[in-house]
């Protein structure tokens, strides 16, 4: 049986989900002269072309063609709004005056150079490279010509800045989306993540690696995706294999029971959905990568799968229940090599109402751990995985609690004068360890599945504790003893904190202010 799960709840109508480009037909053709010249007589009708190559020079014919003997040094922009610069004897030149558009922008770019002007794995819409034959170059020119007019594409992503863990108080933490974007659409000017919808091509890698769900793919939203999987599993035989694949690349027929999930972005669906699918009743999850998937997205998927398999191993489940497979692989997708473990299925409403991305993952892991065939244990995780623990040099910690202020997921918190960590909520962003004034914290790339045994309470571990220090004036506890003692140690030789001045360090802020005012007004 081959059931298909469709997440038809997604729509791009009426919710600002499209991006509009306007292409007026101005083409920049550049590269070495031996590659550019053969194309000058094969330019598609309707394009107004500026050809730039060393030694080209002079005005060309027909009138819709201009030539310039120079080398293009760089370009920037996207369909309808490319800026181009050339290298001249007096430095860099803006090539905008050559464009037939009044704003000095080019709509399209055909780059025949090696290396290319734009090295990004997924270049912007309107820019093409060609290192093939003349026939292939002509075909790509014709494809560019078809973009003339108004072009719409989906706005692929949603971004919630409130969930982003990139920066806190000027310190840099998580940068996974920046490193994963194959299109170079993500930047962080001033320490704030921004995503350019005109450069984004919908690869989905950013949504995959984002540990908090701040970045999500509009066509792979969690709620409709999980609902579609649950419906398909309900009509399938017990514990089928779920195959996640690209819309245009369905899996080949395979023996056994299978549920397929076609999606616009395979790389946008990650461990929270994979583990959720297992909790909903799937025996295995196979992620099929299409041949045209960008290498960076492929690598991100491999890292995420490796981490998810470690999580399964840590809670006592077979790690082979999650499997990554190339679409061109002849191996049937159901043969992932996992041991089928019968277990009750989690209700999809429990997952959908869990909260954010990490909450869904923890709920799914907790359900799987409760029905795991073997005991949970501690396992190592791949480097850079957004899961793990914190190491603590207890003798250094003063309980200043700066780490709790910076923690973007509230994994670190203060409870009754102690520092506690929610192991499941830690995304290993490094903000706490980087900011700790005593260098007491360190990131540990391992996962202890036993922390899920008692639910959310079982995930919280004590990291440091210190008795409270009472104010020398009013007797009210105002800080940890370790913090006060460390402060006294730091300033023990300072003349301001000798004699009565030293007592200021033993007071709460209110009493300290009152005492300091009295000292300032007293005769010396």
């Amino acid at each position: 049986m081959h059931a298909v799960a469709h997440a038809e709840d997604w729509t791009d109508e009426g919710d600002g989900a499209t991006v509009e480009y306007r292409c007026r037909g101005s083409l920049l053709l550049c590269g070495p002269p031996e590659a550019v010249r053969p194309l000058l007589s094969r330019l598609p009708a309707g394009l107004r072309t500026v050809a730039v190559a060393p030694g080209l020079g002079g005005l060309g014919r027909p009138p819709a063609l201009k030539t310039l003997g120079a080398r293009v040094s760089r370009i920037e922009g996207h369909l309808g709004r490319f800026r181009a610069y050339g290298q001249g004897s007096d430095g860099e030149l803006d090539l905008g005056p050559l464009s037939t558009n009044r704003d000095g922008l080019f709509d399209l770019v055909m780059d025949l150079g090696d290396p290319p002007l734009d090295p990004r794995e997924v270049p912007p819409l309107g820019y093409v490279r060609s290192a093939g034959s003349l026939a292939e170059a002509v075909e790509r020119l014709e494809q560019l010509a078809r973009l003339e007019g108004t072009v719409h594409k989906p706005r692929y992503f949603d971004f919630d800045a409130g969930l982003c863990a990139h920066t806190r108080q000027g310190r840099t933490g998580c940068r996974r989306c920046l490193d994963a974007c194959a299109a170079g659409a993500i930047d962080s000017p001033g320490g704030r993540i921004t995503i350019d919808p005109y450069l984004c091509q919908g690869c989905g890698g950013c949504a995959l690696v984002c540990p908090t769900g701040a970045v999500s793919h509009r066509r792979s939203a969690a709620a409709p995706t999980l609902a579609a999987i649950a419906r398909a599993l309900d009509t399938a035989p017990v514990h089928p294999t779920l195959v996640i694949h690209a819309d245009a690349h369905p899996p080949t027929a395979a023996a056994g029971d299978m549920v397929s999930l076609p999606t616009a972005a395979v790389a946008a669906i990650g461990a929270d959905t994979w583990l959720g699918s297992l909790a909903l009743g799937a025996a295995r999850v196979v992620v099929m990568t299409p041949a045209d998937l960008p290498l960076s997205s492929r690598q991100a998927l491999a890292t995420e799968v490796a981490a998810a398999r470690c999580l399964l191993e840590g809670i006592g489940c077979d790690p082979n229940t999650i499997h990554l497979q190339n679409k061109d692989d002849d191996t049937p997708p159901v043969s992932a090599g996992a041991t089928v473990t019968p277990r009750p299925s989690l209700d999809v409403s429990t997952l959908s109402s869990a909260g954010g991305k990490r909450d869904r993952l923890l709920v799914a892991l907790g359900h799987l751990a409760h029905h795991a065939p073997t005991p949970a244990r501690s396992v190592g995780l791949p480097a850079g995985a957004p899961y793990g623990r914190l190491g603590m040099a207890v003798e250094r910690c003063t309980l200043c609690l700066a780490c709790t202020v910076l923690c973007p997921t509230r994994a670190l918190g203060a409870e009754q004068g102690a520092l506690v960590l929610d192991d499941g909520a830690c995304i290993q962003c490094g903000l706490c360890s980087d900011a700790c004034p005593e260098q007491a914290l360190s990131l540990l790339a391992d996962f202890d599945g036993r922390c899920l045994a008692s639910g959310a309470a079982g995930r919280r571990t004590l990291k440091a504790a210190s008795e409270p220090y009472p104010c020398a004036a009013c007797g009210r506890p105002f800080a940890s003893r370790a913090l006060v003692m460390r402060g006294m140690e730091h300033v023990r030789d300072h003349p301001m904190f000798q004699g009565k001045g030293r007592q200021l360090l033993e007071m709460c802020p209110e009493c300290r202010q009152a005492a300091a005012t009295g000292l300032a007004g007293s005769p010396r």
Side-chain angles (χ1 to χ4, degrees):
M1 177 178 180
H2 182 179
V4 180
H6 291 289
E8 62 273 291
D9 294 340
W10 187 90
T11 176
D12 62 356
E13 297 178 1
D15 62 353
T18 59
V19 179
E20 181 179 291
Y21 303 84
R22 182 167 170 256
C23 177
R24 296 156 289 180
S26 176
L27 168 70
L28 174 65
L29 174 63
C30 57
E34 63 272 17
V36 171
R37 281 196 182 97
L39 287 176
L40 298 183
S41 60
R42 295 172 172 83
L43 296 172
L47 292 184
R48 301 181 305 280
T49 304
V50 175
V52 180
L56 209 56
L59 288 176
R61 293 291 186 268
L65 171 65
K66 294 179 182 179
T67 59
L68 176 67
R71 181 178 64 86
V72 178
S73 56
R74 65 184 177 97
I75 61 166
E76 56 188 36
H78 51 76
L79 176 64
R81 299 194 63 81
F82 284 105
R83 289 195 179 276
Y85 302 88
Q87 193 64 43
S89 58
D90 296 328
E92 194 172 64
L93 304 172
D94 184 358
L95 299 180
L98 293 175
S99 172
T100 55
N101 296 330
R102 290 184 178 180
D103 54 13
L105 299 175
F106 294 92
D107 300 301
L108 306 161
V109 176
M110 176 71 160
D111 179 11
L112 303 176
D114 185 20
L117 293 169
D118 192 324
R120 285 176 286 194
E121 190 177 4
V122 178
L125 195 63
Y127 170 91
V128 297
R129 302 184 285 253
S130 178
S133 66
L134 177 60
E136 290 172 330
V138 171
E139 182 181 354
R140 294 196 176 190
L141 274 175
E142 292 172 347
Q143 291 172 354
L144 282 178
R146 289 195 285 271
L147 292 174
E148 188 172 1
T150 301
V151 177
H152 293 88
K153 77 171 179 65
R155 181 186 176 94
Y156 293 106
F157 64 89
D158 281 322
F159 178 63
D160 185 343
L163 296 175
C164 182
H166 178 51
T167 56
R168 287 292 189 278
Q169 298 183 6
R171 296 182 179 273
T172 301
C174 177
R175 50 171 297 115
R176 291 181 173 91
C177 64
L178 285 161
D179 296 335
C181 182
I186 306 180
D187 199 1
S188 59
R192 301 188 61 169
I193 290 293
T194 61
I195 307 178
D196 189 334
Y198 292 92
L199 294 179
C200 175
Q201 302 293 310
C203 307
C206 56
L208 175 76
V209 302
C210 179
T212 65
V215 186
S216 58
H217 198 283
R218 298 177 67 92
R219 289 190 167 183
S220 302
T225 298
L226 288 169
I229 292 171
R231 288 193 299 269
L233 291 175
D234 285 344
T235 60
V238 178
H239 304 305
T241 293
L242 174 68
V243 181
I244 302 174
H245 62 88
D247 287 327
H249 302 282
T252 54
D257 297 316
M258 183 175 67
V259 169
S260 70
L261 176 69
T263 177
V266 170
I269 297 177
D272 59 316
T273 300
W274 304 338
L275 295 168
S277 300
L278 295 175
L280 291 173
R284 309 176 184 89
V285 173
V286 177
V287 182
M288 300 196 73
T289 58
D292 59 353
L293 189 69
L295 178 61
S296 56
S297 297
R298 196 179 300 274
Q299 292 171 337
L301 271 172
T303 300
E304 182 83 347
V305 167
R309 289 165 73 110
C310 288
L311 296 179
L312 285 170
E313 186 178 357
I315 62 173
C317 291
D318 185 352
N320 291 311
T321 49
I322 295 180
H323 182 69
L324 185 64
Q325 181 173 323
N326 293 329
K327 175 63 177 68
D328 296 335
D329 191 342
D330 293 333
T331 306
V334 293
S335 59
T339 301
V340 177
T341 303
R343 57 179 167 264
S345 297
L346 187 67
D347 190 276
V348 68
S349 62
T350 304
L351 274 180
S352 299
S353 62
K357 181 177 183 177
R358 182 56 64 97
D359 299 308
R360 291 191 299 273
L361 180 140
L362 292 173
V363 168
L365 270 179
H367 176 81
L368 296 172
H370 185 68
H371 300 285
T374 59
R377 61 190 183 91
S378 180
V379 296
L381 290 164
Y387 318 102
R389 298 184 299 112
L390 288 177
M392 166 67 77
V394 178
E395 70 280 2
R396 289 176 171 269
C397 180
T398 62
L399 265 79
C400 68
L401 302 182
C403 54
T404 66
V405 175
L406 290 169
C407 182
T409 63
R410 298 184 180 178
L412 281 165
E415 292 182 4
Q416 299 179 346
L419 179 66
V420 295
L421 170 71
D422 182 342
D423 293 282
C426 178
I427 61 171
Q428 300 280 287
C429 65
L431 281 166
C432 61
S433 59
D434 178 60
C436 179
E438 310 300 341
Q439 298 182 329
L441 293 170
S442 58
L443 304 181
L444 301 177
D446 58 52
F447 167 72
D448 192 343
R450 291 169 293 190
C451 73
L452 294 169
S454 304
R459 302 198 312 260
R460 302 189 74 78
T461 56
L462 177 68
K463 303 309 296 183
S466 176
E467 62 180 292
Y469 196 91
C471 173
C474 68
R476 184 187 62 169
F478 69 96
S480 70
R481 178 171 292 276
L483 181 61
V484 175
M485 293 297 102
R486 184 64 58 88
M488 289 182 176
E489 178 67 21
H490 282 318
V491 299
R492 64 180 179 180
D493 297 326
H494 197 286
M496 180 178 175
F497 297 106
Q498 306 302 315
K500 291 184 178 181
R502 183 175 178 82
Q503 295 178 1
L504 295 175
L505 298 175
E506 299 180 282
M507 297 180 185
C508 66
E510 292 82 0
C511 293
R512 185 182 304 139
Q513 182 177 7
T517 302
L519 286 175
S522 62
R524 298 185 180 181

